[in-house]
């Protein structure tokens, strides 16, 4: 007797194979729909993140740099370099305090303060600037830019969102001392 013979009452071999194929097709379609729904959810989250960015990632443009009294006591001609990492030099001029941007007005290289020569020098193309930010040599087309300065609760606050191009002496670009 052959083992290939169907037993009485059992479904024909082709019917079994057809059932398995249908289940495989249905489960593949389900996986496809799940993948589509998942990628849709990811896209929706990315869109929501784009539409509502986390504002706290932006650095605060205002920097409290120290008591106004300490700057008033600084001798005229002094450059406070402690805020160079924030892109700012505090310069004590004879009658005022200014906050100069450390970026060269030619192409934006970071300037260096040369104490022995009493000037700011650009390492990129040789521009030079006087203590008050005036451009004195090289290709820089204008004086150093200034940031807004004010006094809040006795502290000098530099506002890097207020930029006075070319060191304009407009209101808010210096503190009278
Ligand atoms: Fe300063 Fe060119 S970037 S001279």
């Amino acid at each position: 007797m052959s083992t290939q013979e169907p037993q009485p009452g059992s479904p024909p071999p082709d019917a079994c194979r057809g059932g398995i194929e249908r289940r495989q097709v249905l489960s593949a379609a389900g996986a496809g729909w799940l993948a589509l729904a998942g990628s849709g959810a990811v896209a929706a989250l990315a869109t929501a993140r784009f539409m509502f960015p986390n504002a706290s990632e932006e650095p605060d443009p205002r920097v409290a740099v120290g008591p106004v009294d300490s700057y008033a006591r600084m001798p005229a001609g002094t450059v406070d370099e402690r805020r160079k990492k924030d892109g700012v030099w505090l310069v004590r001029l004879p009658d005022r305090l200014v906050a100069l941007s450390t970026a060269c007005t030619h192409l934006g290289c970071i300037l260096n303060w040369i104490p022995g020569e009493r000037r700011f020098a650009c390492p990129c193309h040789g521009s030079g600037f006087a203590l008050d930010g005036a451009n004195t040599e090289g290709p820089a087309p204008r004086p150093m830019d200034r940031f807004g300065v004010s006094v809040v609760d006795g502290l000098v606050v530099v506002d890097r969102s207020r930029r006075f191009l070319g060191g304009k002496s407009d209101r808010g670009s210096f503190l009278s001392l």
Side-chain angles (χ1 to χ4, degrees), residues 104 106-109 122 124-127 139:
C104 180
H106 179 221
L107 293 176
C109 287
C122 182
C124 294
H125 313 103
S127 286

Side-chain angles (χ1 to χ4, degrees), residues 19-37:
I20 290 169
E21 285 170 1
R22 265 196 304 279
R23 278 196 298 272
Q24 285 174 335
V25 166
L26 286 176
S27 94
W33 279 111
L34 269 178
L36 189 63

